[in-house]
Amino acid sequence: QRMVAVMRTRQLQWRTEETYRGWARRFARWLGEKPIEQASGDDVRRYLEHLAVEGKVAGSTQRQALNALVFLYREALQQDLGDFSGYKPARAGKRIPLVLSRQECQALFRELSGEHLLMAQLMYGAGLRLMELLRLRVQDLDFDQGCVIIRQGKGGKDRVSVLPESLRAALLAHRDRLRALFE
């Protein structure tokens, strides 16, 4: 509860709050009978090792857990966990990004219709993340300039992306339907 209060006063993103709460809950379960306030930096290190060895999590997941737990102890519980500079995360595997082929995209789009198809095409064509798409508002589509304004994207940053010309007519028709519903 203290951690949630601190996160909300600092106005962290909802997704960050969810993630940090989840890691705090999992850590508390892993501790078992030991109260979370009595855990030490060594307990956190052992938990991170447990994630890597038994949980087989990626290094980025391990870092996310570490950030959540450091936030919990330093900011919410006002406890120092000690120095983590010697901490060695799990090795991050080299991964080539997975990109759908043109045929795979077409097959995916054939399975969708209506607003779901338009949403998927806009996500793909403008390079939007799911939450960016869901937060879009009518005024974020600039048809004159051919761009999409993404507000409060990842990291709370704004950015601009291209508005696919092939979606222009469908998006204008959708906008007109929304306007009629609004009126």
Side-chain angles (χ1 to χ4, degrees):
Q1 288 174 336
R2 281 184 266 166
M3 184 171 83
V4 169
V6 171
M7 287 189 287
R8 291 190 180 166
T9 57
R10 296 198 181 176
Q11 299 179 342
L12 295 183
Q13 295 284 328
W14 174 251
R15 293 287 215 178
T16 303
E17 181 181 321
E18 277 184 317
T19 301
Y20 280 20
R21 278 188 286 125
W23 282 116
R25 230 183 339 268
R26 287 188 286 274
F27 180 60
R29 255 190 311 246
W30 180 82
L31 285 171
E33 297 294 317
K34 187 175 194 176
I36 203 163
E37 293 85 4
Q38 293 177 8
S40 66
D42 288 333
D43 290 320
V44 172
R45 281 185 192 82
R46 281 195 302 280
Y47 178 64
L48 295 172
E49 285 176 19
H50 161 77
L51 289 176
V53 175
E54 294 173 36
K56 295 185 172 95
V57 301
S60 59
T61 304
Q62 216 180 6
R63 281 189 298 280
Q64 185 184 69
L66 172 63
N67 289 337
L69 296 175
V70 166
F71 183 89
L72 168 67
Y73 281 93
R74 286 189 184 156
E75 306 300 327
L77 299 176
Q78 311 268 303
Q79 293 179 17
D80 186 20
L81 288 175
D83 184 22
F84 275 86
S85 60
Y87 160 72
K88 294 205 189 285
R91 280 188 115 169
K94 296 273 184 186
R95 291 186 312 178
I96 297 172
L98 176 65
V99 179
L100 297 177
S101 70
R102 183 176 296 226
Q103 293 80 15
E104 290 170 324
C105 287
Q106 289 170 347
L108 175 65
F109 293 154
R110 277 193 299 271
E111 297 298 318
L112 300 171
S113 63
E115 290 178 359
H116 294 111
L117 173 61
L118 184 58
M119 291 167 65
Q121 290 173 326
L122 185 58
M123 273 182 80
Y124 181 78
L128 302 177
R129 295 175 177 92
L130 178 61
M131 288 308 295
E132 293 171 345
L133 174 77
L134 296 175
R135 289 184 183 139
L136 272 183
R137 298 177 359 213
V138 172
Q139 63 260 32
D140 295 334
L141 301 176
D142 187 338
F143 292 99
D144 296 332
Q145 298 291 319
C147 63
V148 179
I149 301 162
I150 297 110
R151 302 182 195 283
Q152 294 291 305
K154 187 171 183 178
K157 296 179 181 150
D158 296 348
R159 64 186 176 93
V160 178
S161 184
V162 65
L163 179 66
E165 186 62 36
S166 61
L167 298 179
R168 183 183 188 87
L171 287 168
L172 286 168
H174 183 68
R175 183 187 69 181
D176 291 342
R177 279 193 307 277
L178 292 176
R179 184 170 284 139
L181 282 172
F182 178 76
E183 290 171 0

